[in-house]
Amino acid sequence: MYAKIETERLNFIKNNQMQLRADNYIHLRDAIGRQDTDLTHLGQMVVLPSSFTGSPRYMHEKTQDAMTYVRHYGRPDLFITFTCNPRWKEVSNALLSEQKSYDRHDIIARIFHLKVKTLMKLLTKGNLFGEVQCFMYSVEWQKRGLPHIHILLWLKQRISPDKLDCIISAEIPDPEKDSLLYDIIKANMIHGPCGNSNNRSPCMESGSCSKKYPRPFIQETQTGDDGYPKYRRRAPENGGFTVEINGNTLDNRWVVPYNPVLSRTFGAHINVEYCNSVKSIKYICKYITKGSDQAAFGFENDNDEVKLYESGRYISSSEAVWRILAFPIHERFPTVFHLSVHLENGQRVYFNPNGSSRLTDMINNPPKTTLLAFFDLCKTDDFAKTLLYVDVPSYYVWKNNRFERRKRGINVNGWPGIKRDQALGRVYTIHPNNTECYYLRLLLHEVRGPTSFLKLKTVNGTIQPTYQTACKPLGLLEDERHWDTTMEETVLCGSPFKLRELFAIMLIFCQLSDALSLWEKYKDSLSEDIRHRVELDIQPENILFLSLGGTSLQHYGLPQPSRCGAVLQNKDYLREINYDSNILAQYIHFYEHLLNNEQSYVYNKILEGIEKNTGQTFFLDAPGGTGKTFVINILLATVRKDHGIALAVASSGIAATLLEGGKTAHSVFKLPLNLTRVETPMCNISKQSTSSKRL
């Protein structure tokens, strides 16, 4: 039933966004300026947004929100895993005669949901471990269907190492003093047994336990600098107790850390760990549902993210009931407000290529973003001028595309009418390869109260040419004297080509903060050997950067060569049309007459389809060693001889080496290397890229 519900939701998204495109405002504006008639070739399909619960973008946002808590509150104090117990009395009492718990996932879901609410109330309002300032949890499902949650707690009063034994225990209770807890721990908190006692245990990997059991005996709890501490586990001869399970005598080495109060209260598997680092936060939002190990490959005009999501979706009965009942799969406190970041006129725009009037209005009135609203706020609000961009959600609410002062919260001393709430702000992450936007984001975390993009570039009254150069006088970038020394040494002992190669590598991989100054200082040495090439149309130094990094010199804040046109910047296109026609003609003349009758038929049939532009697809099937590669290489040479573009693509590197100019599908179509372990396994080629123009 839930599969049908989710399919209908996905179909609604697909059907209502089939004509929707998304692109930066500046790209849309330029397209209109060029009077492009076919707007369907602009932007990328947006079909599965982060608002869809469980989508890859949804999970990514939850993970980033979790790291926002780490940035504000530091590492979490406790990591708790609470697993549903199908033997609870509430479950068994609700079952009909001869029914088992796995027959009634609805009962399991409802009771576990109530137990989770009770547990969170005990932790957050009952202050079992102290006052909680922040928490979040995520619901997941085991392969056998039982739900469990991962909880992270941030406490106002940190747990000191000397109090760990009062909160967390990794020992078997005394069966005479506390028989109830002893039975609960025996039934729920004993790992395995595995290893020599049970080599077929699910935790066994390469002959050892993946959970690192049995743990060593230790007389006193020890905390390290990283990971989880080593809890006290006394040996039987030093006061520890044992349990008998399936004929095996197990001691404290097999106990999963727990809290006695929680275990006694809920009678279930509740693993409580003290967090010494932020490692455990990775577990809170990981994406559990996995499809079968497979790879789908095809050619389509758009990126259908709905299809990609559905192809790898697995829904258990327990999860289906949980989602039908609309129980949450994530909870958190306090709220995290997302803040956009973009270059000037670079905000994301959603448009319908069929709505020309709406499109024109959008060009004249670009959409309002939180960043633009922050600039407007700083122009009129004196208190906002004292804030960083990320601090705004704590004092203002986003309403009607503008920030307004909060009416609830704690009063701010010295600022009448200003109230502070617990809401946190998070600026969307930017990859360092997006250089200018990356440094813009860096400035937004350092400059208080900017009123415009220009103000962010202004440092000590001087307007800097780029956001990257604006970061340098503010001390946000490293000193680059070591790169200057490296260039100076290479000038003395290396050739100009090697110097250009070194400079290109430094630009692409070393994140130079002031590449222009370095260029101005060494540009004569960089160009010593190319003075005799000034009559050529292609500047080798720019092609070198294009070849290594896929971007032009302008991307790194360097002057663009005046003789390098748009076509010459497309290294992919240049590579495909620069085959030597004379050599190819000789190759065809020598090998074409060696084709047998069947090979000649295939050869002529495919060439006929190319000449008539019929757009056909041919499938060549023959046993190994019968000349398939031989025919394909002659076809490639025939097309390339007349400066046509023929891409030789193979599924593996070995197969690609047999084709002239061959490459793997992962390289040509920018596919992820591991299709089963990425959130969006699709061809990473934008419609404005050089690869797109070549295709």
Side-chain angles (χ1 to χ4, degrees):
M1 182 184 294
Y2 180 71
K4 293 183 178 180
I5 294 174
E6 188 171 89
T7 301
E8 286 300 316
R9 292 174 179 171
L10 292 171
N11 287 338
F12 175 83
I13 293 175
K14 181 187 294 187
N15 295 332
N16 285 272
Q17 293 192 350
M18 188 59 70
Q19 302 299 323
L20 192 64
R21 295 291 189 272
D23 207 342
N24 291 336
Y25 170 72
I26 189 170
H27 295 156
L28 178 61
R29 184 195 60 189
D30 291 346
I32 299 302
R34 295 193 303 267
Q35 296 181 349
D36 290 351
T37 55
D38 190 4
L39 295 179
T40 61
H41 292 292
L42 184 67
Q44 179 182 0
M45 286 293 291
V46 179
V47 293
L48 196 56
S50 59
S51 58
F52 185 84
T53 303
S55 68
R57 287 190 179 92
Y58 175 88
M59 292 297 178
H60 178 73
E61 282 199 352
K62 297 302 179 184
T63 303
Q64 293 296 321
D65 291 347
M67 298 313 295
T68 300
Y69 293 149
V70 175
R71 186 177 74 245
H72 281 268
Y73 302 115
R75 61 167 177 80
D77 293 275
L78 294 173
F79 177 42
I80 304 173
T81 301
F82 177 30
T83 304
C84 176
N85 185 355
R87 296 186 295 272
W88 278 325
K89 290 184 178 180
E90 295 89 342
V91 175
S92 58
N93 292 340
L95 296 175
L96 300 177
S97 60
E98 299 183 358
Q99 278 189 337
K100 304 295 183 182
S101 59
Y102 49 76
D103 295 324
R104 296 295 302 274
H105 293 289
D106 57 331
I107 295 176
I108 292 288
R110 291 182 183 276
I111 292 178
F112 185 66
H113 180 240
L114 293 174
K115 295 278 187 178
V116 170
K117 292 175 66 176
T118 303
L119 173 62
M120 296 309 301
K121 184 176 181 181
L122 179 62
L123 296 176
T124 58
K125 296 183 178 181
N127 299 331
L128 176 63
F129 302 116
E131 191 173 354
V132 175
Q133 63 178 348
C134 175
F135 75 86
M136 69 181 307
Y137 73 78
S138 175
V139 182
E140 297 171 354
W141 285 266
Q142 299 173 341
K143 290 183 179 179
R144 60 176 178 168
L146 289 176
H148 63 281
I149 64 169
H150 294 307
I151 308 170
L152 285 179
L153 288 181
W154 283 261
L155 304 176
K156 289 188 177 181
Q157 185 68 35
R158 290 289 186 183
I159 299 175
S160 57
D162 60 321
K163 295 183 179 179
L164 272 181
D165 290 335
C166 300
I167 296 176
I168 302 174
S169 175
E171 294 187 314
I172 300 170
D174 187 339
E176 296 183 359
K177 294 183 178 180
D178 198 340
S179 59
L180 174 61
L181 183 61
Y182 176 85
D183 293 335
I184 293 174
I185 300 305
K186 177 181 178 180
N188 299 285
M189 303 306 297
I190 302 297
H191 178 79
C194 57
N196 294 330
S197 301
N198 183 10
N199 290 324
R200 296 184 178 181
S201 177
C203 64
M204 295 296 291
E205 293 181 1
S206 301
S208 60
C209 177
S210 60
K211 308 301 181 183
K212 300 180 181 180
Y213 284 92
R215 304 292 176 90
F217 287 121
I218 183 173
Q219 196 64 23
E220 297 293 339
T221 299
Q222 297 178 3
T223 57
D225 296 331
D226 193 18
Y228 299 126
K230 297 178 181 178
Y231 304 106
R232 183 179 64 188
R233 298 175 185 271
R234 290 172 292 187
E237 57 269 19
N238 292 326
F241 298 95
T242 60
V243 295
E244 292 287 336
I245 298 180
N246 297 330
N248 297 305
T249 302
L250 304 178
D251 48 36
N252 288 332
R253 293 177 299 171
W254 300 91
V255 178
V256 178
Y258 64 93
N259 173 263
V261 176
L262 292 180
S263 294
R264 191 181 290 109
T265 302
F266 293 95
H269 177 93
I270 306 180
N271 177 210
V272 181
E273 298 276 6
Y274 173 70
C275 298
N276 248 17
S277 72
V278 299
K279 279 185 175 182
S280 58
I281 208 166
K282 293 187 296 183
Y283 294 96
I284 198 68
C285 292
K286 65 181 179 180
Y287 191 49
I288 293 301
T289 54
K290 300 182 180 71
S292 58
D293 294 333
Q294 59 180 339
F297 186 83
F299 296 91
E300 295 183 5
N301 289 331
D302 50 29
N303 294 322
D304 193 340
E305 294 183 4
V306 168
K307 186 182 297 182
L308 291 170
Y309 177 78
E310 286 182 306
S311 63
R313 181 77 163 107
Y314 169 75
I315 305 174
S316 67
S317 300
S318 183
E319 180 185 359
V321 171
W322 189 277
R323 298 295 299 276
I324 290 174
L325 296 175
F327 295 154
I329 65 171
H330 291 282
E331 285 288 347
R332 64 184 184 183
F333 178 84
T335 184
V336 178
F337 185 79
H338 302 151
L339 300 167
S340 64
V341 57
H342 56 82
L343 298 175
E344 189 171 6
N345 290 333
Q347 60 266 46
R348 184 162 291 277
V349 171
Y350 297 92
F351 63 94
N352 191 319
N354 297 324
S356 57
S357 59
R358 171 62 179 159
L359 194 58
T360 303
D361 180 63
M362 192 174 297
I363 297 302
N364 298 327
N365 301 288
K368 202 74 169 180
T369 65
T370 55
L371 180 57
L372 298 177
F374 175 55
F375 291 153
D376 294 340
L377 181 67
C378 294
K379 294 176 183 177
T380 58
D381 194 311
D382 292 336
F383 178 73
K385 296 178 181 178
T386 66
L387 299 177
L388 296 173
Y389 184 35
V390 73
D391 297 330
V392 172
S394 298
Y395 304 92
Y396 299 85
V397 295
W398 178 253
K399 188 176 181 180
N400 298 326
N401 290 333
R402 55 176 295 183
F403 284 111
E404 298 181 1
R405 291 183 177 181
R406 289 190 175 274
K407 298 180 180 180
R408 297 180 181 179
I410 303 174
N411 294 325
V412 179
N413 293 332
W415 294 95
I418 299 295
K419 296 182 181 294
R420 178 186 177 89
D421 196 18
Q422 292 179 293
L424 302 177
R426 175 174 71 83
V427 183
Y428 283 110
T429 56
I430 300 295
H431 195 279
N433 284 345
N434 191 357
T435 309
E436 275 298 271
C437 198
Y438 175 81
Y439 288 107
L440 167 64
R441 184 180 185 276
L442 185 59
L443 289 170
L444 287 171
H445 281 83
E446 297 292 335
V447 178
R448 296 182 180 274
T451 56
S452 65
F453 290 99
L454 188 62
K455 285 293 183 180
L456 286 171
K457 288 185 179 180
T458 305
V459 183
N460 299 326
T462 303
I463 300 176
Q464 302 294 328
T466 65
Y467 296 108
Q468 185 176 6
T469 55
C471 290
K472 188 173 182 180
L474 294 175
L476 303 180
L477 303 179
E478 293 181 352
D479 193 323
E480 294 185 346
R481 285 178 293 181
H482 55 294
W483 299 123
D484 192 358
T485 304
T486 302
M487 291 289 291
E488 185 177 358
E489 181 180 349
T490 309
V491 166
L492 298 176
C493 60
S495 65
F497 175 77
K498 289 296 182 183
L499 187 62
R500 289 195 298 271
E501 192 176 54
L502 172 65
F503 187 58
I505 292 173
M506 290 165 57
L507 275 179
I508 297 167
F509 301 108
C510 301
Q511 299 295 323
L512 299 180
S513 62
D514 193 3
L516 184 59
S517 298
L518 210 58
W519 167 266
E520 292 292 341
K521 184 175 181 178
Y522 295 102
K523 64 181 180 181
D524 292 335
S525 300
L526 286 162
S527 58
E528 278 183 1
D529 65 333
I530 58 173
R531 293 182 180 179
H532 66 283
R533 306 184 193 179
V534 293
E535 295 181 358
L536 297 178
D537 291 330
I538 301 176
Q539 291 205 28
E541 64 271 29
N542 193 53
I543 297 302
L544 176 62
F545 292 111
L546 286 168
S547 177
L548 288 176
T551 52
S552 63
L553 291 169
Q554 192 175 10
H555 177 78
Y556 301 98
L558 297 177
Q560 184 78 356
S562 58
R563 297 189 303 279
C564 191
V567 174
L568 297 179
Q569 293 184 39
N570 193 333
K571 62 184 179 67
D572 298 321
Y573 178 80
L574 286 173
R575 184 187 300 113
E576 297 300 331
I577 65 173
N578 277 342
Y579 286 95
D580 193 313
S581 298
N582 294 328
I583 295 178
L584 293 177
Q586 295 175 9
Y587 177 88
I588 296 169
H589 177 74
F590 184 80
Y591 287 107
E592 190 174 20
H593 73 279
L594 299 179
L595 295 169
N596 60 32
N597 293 334
E598 291 185 352
Q599 292 171 340
S600 296
Y601 174 78
V602 172
Y603 176 69
N604 294 324
K605 193 72 175 177
I606 295 177
L607 284 182
E608 181 184 351
I610 294 174
E611 292 172 358
K612 295 182 179 180
N613 196 24
T614 57
Q616 292 174 276
T617 299
F618 297 91
F619 179 70
L620 184 58
D621 182 21
T626 55
K628 296 188 297 296
T629 303
F630 177 65
V631 174
I632 293 173
N633 278 326
I634 299 178
L635 282 167
L636 290 171
T638 304
V639 175
R640 291 166 176 170
K641 177 177 67 68
D642 299 324
H643 301 292
I645 295 180
L647 302 183
V649 182
S651 59
S652 66
I654 295 177
T657 58
L658 301 177
L659 302 175
E660 185 63 33
K663 289 188 175 183
T664 63
H666 289 82
S667 173
V668 174
F669 301 112
K670 301 297 185 291
L671 289 169
L673 291 178
N674 194 328
L675 294 172
T676 62
R677 295 188 179 181
V678 294
E679 295 179 350
T680 55
M682 63 177 64
C683 300
N684 188 23
I685 300 177
S686 67
K687 294 187 178 180
Q688 290 78 39
S689 66
T690 57
S691 297
S692 174
K693 291 179 174 61
R694 176 190 60 174
L695 293 174

